[in-house]
Amino acid sequence: MAALPGQAGAAGTPRPYAFAEGAETVEGAPTNVAGRLLRAGKTYKSTLPRVGRHFYRLELTALENAYVSATAVPKPGTRLSYADGVEVSIQDADGNNCSPLDAEKARFGSSGSARPITASAVRRAGPDEKSCRSAGTYYVLVEHTRASGPGAQEDWDLELHVASEPVLRDRGGTTPPEAWDSAVPVPPSGQRRARAGGTSFNEARGLRDGVWGAGIEPGDTLFYRVPVDWGQRLSVAAELGSTSEGAASGGAASGGVSSGGAASGGSAGAGGGVGRGTARGSGYVSSALVMSLYNPVRAEVDDADTSYDGRQKSMALDALPPVAHENRFSPTDEMSALRFAGWYYVSVHLNPAVAEKFGDGPLELTLRVGVAGSPRPGPAYAGSPRPADDFGVSERDTEAAERGETAPGSGGGDGSRGGSDDQVMAVVAAGGIGSGVVLLGILGVWTLVARRRAAAAPRRI
């Protein structure tokens, strides 16, 4: 039977990155003059060749902050070094980097594992900016970071996302909040609910605060999204379950965690064993589980990783401040990235090296998501953001998070692609039914869910 949406494919075969539905394909140009125009509010598909500088073009007003993210997607199994990665910047007509402190390089790091990684850049507008203030033509430069490994010798798929945030109607504060609780929040506890992950930003499954679980196979990268409103504070912790034949106590070295506040050797929410494939059950993998958090324009906020030796492991992101417009003036990357309300994305990757030590069957992943604080009124913008829903949280967003929906336009935002995981799993759980009958039942549920939500959902203008 074919894999269900949100499930892994054949054992040992990571599901491909799902590019935005209907995304226009644009090719980068070797010079700035030939760069193709990218429009705010749109997502594009492109290619990052192994050599050269690749330009695109923006036409901007003097009253908008522009954000461009570049997600590099190497082929599964690509051999990568620590320094392999992608870099993106926005430049003016003189070749100056509009925001050198915000220009970002994304690298594969110590895991050396092929997975989607995202770098971002920003052009900031407003009376306090020293450069790139005027309206006109700007250029986006995307390139490989310098590396000599095998991964640098191959072309990568590329997804470009462009967003525009208006300046404020009235001049606001330029000082980041100084007082906030920097203690790492206590992770949520309680019943673990099943919620399969998507394969990209575009198919990220909605989550609200609580405890969530899914199976994750070596090589897979799962994407989720969490609505976080102005004044609210997000926390995320992840746990990887033990194998059915985990390393004995005192055996393999215990795992460390890269992010502050994360502890190794924590208890998993559900003791997950290897579900299929060959479980060898011994060994040690460094940077086995990698978790990253991105803001609504796909700029990285924080990341963490942990090693694995067959026993359950846990990690958590650093303590994060509440979302506030003034955070953008902070000198720290984490706080600066928490500059607007909207959907925050969590990606979790399981190193394919885990299969070599513990078999290619899925392990149990548990996510403990906390959203603390009451929503506050947002800033008064002097225009409309693009995309319109990138910088805010609506009641519909909250409902979509509860149901585990993907974004509208991804093919699953209105439930037309799989609906919620709970409804699909309820059908699968019916025992004693032949696989053909189960498949027909699932298709019937999907169709019913899609029709009901399509009828009930308000039209987006």
Side-chain angles (χ1 to χ4, degrees), residues 184 235-237 259-262 291-293 302-304 315-320:
V184 177
S235 63
V236 185
S259 181
M291 177 171 62
S292 298
L293 175 66
D302 191 20
D303 64 2
M315 61 181 176
L317 299 176
D318 288 336
L320 301 173

Side-chain angles (χ1 to χ4, degrees), residues 99-186:
S99 297
L101 297 180
D102 288 316
E104 183 185 329
K105 297 178 181 178
R107 294 189 174 93
F108 293 96
S110 58
S111 73
S113 179
R115 65 188 187 277
I117 60 170
T118 302
S120 64
V122 57
R123 176 267 197 168
R124 295 185 293 192
D128 297 315
E129 298 304 319
K130 301 295 189 293
S131 62
C132 301
R133 292 174 49 179
S134 61
T137 301
Y138 292 85
Y139 303 98
V140 178
L141 174 61
V142 184
E143 54 191 328
H144 269 288
T145 55
R146 295 181 181 273
S148 58
Q153 308 307 313
E154 298 181 359
D155 294 351
W156 297 341
D157 286 334
L158 189 70
E159 182 168 77
L160 301 169
H161 179 74
V162 186
S164 170
E165 178 197 29
V167 298
L168 298 184
R169 187 179 304 157
D170 299 313
R171 186 170 180 174
T174 58
T175 303
E178 296 181 357
W180 60 278
D181 186 1
S182 60
V184 177
V186 177

Side-chain angles (χ1 to χ4, degrees), residues 127-294:
D128 297 315
E129 298 304 319
K130 301 295 189 293
S131 62
C132 301
R133 292 174 49 179
S134 61
T137 301
Y138 292 85
Y139 303 98
V140 178
L141 174 61
V142 184
E143 54 191 328
H144 269 288
T145 55
R146 295 181 181 273
S148 58
Q153 308 307 313
E154 298 181 359
D155 294 351
W156 297 341
D157 286 334
L158 189 70
E159 182 168 77
L160 301 169
H161 179 74
V162 186
S164 170
E165 178 197 29
V167 298
L168 298 184
R169 187 179 304 157
D170 299 313
R171 186 170 180 174
T174 58
T175 303
E178 296 181 357
W180 60 278
D181 186 1
S182 60
V184 177
V186 177
S189 59
Q191 181 65 37
R192 181 179 183 265
R193 295 176 57 183
R195 181 61 52 83
T199 64
S200 69
F201 288 102
N202 312 295
E203 289 193 343
R205 289 282 178 176
L207 298 178
R208 53 161 292 175
D209 54 315
V211 185
W212 306 92
I216 183 170
E217 291 196 355
D220 264 353
T221 303
L222 305 183
F223 282 80
Y224 296 92
R225 60 183 191 143
V226 184
V228 186
D229 214 337
W230 300 104
Q232 292 189 315
R233 187 180 178 201
L234 175 65
S235 63
V236 185
E239 299 168 2
L240 191 60
S242 62
T243 65
S244 56
E245 299 179 15
S249 178
S254 61
V257 178
S258 68
S259 181
S264 63
S267 175
V274 174
R276 69 171 186 260
T278 303
R280 299 175 184 86
S282 64
Y284 175 83
V285 179
S286 62
S287 297
L289 191 68
V290 181
M291 177 171 62
S292 298
L293 175 66
Y294 300 91

Side-chain angles (χ1 to χ4, degrees), residues 324-339:
H325 188 273
E326 296 81 9
N327 285 346
R328 66 192 61 211
F329 300 106
S330 170
T332 64
D333 292 340
E334 289 179 3
M335 188 170 189
S336 177
L338 294 161
R339 63 180 65 186

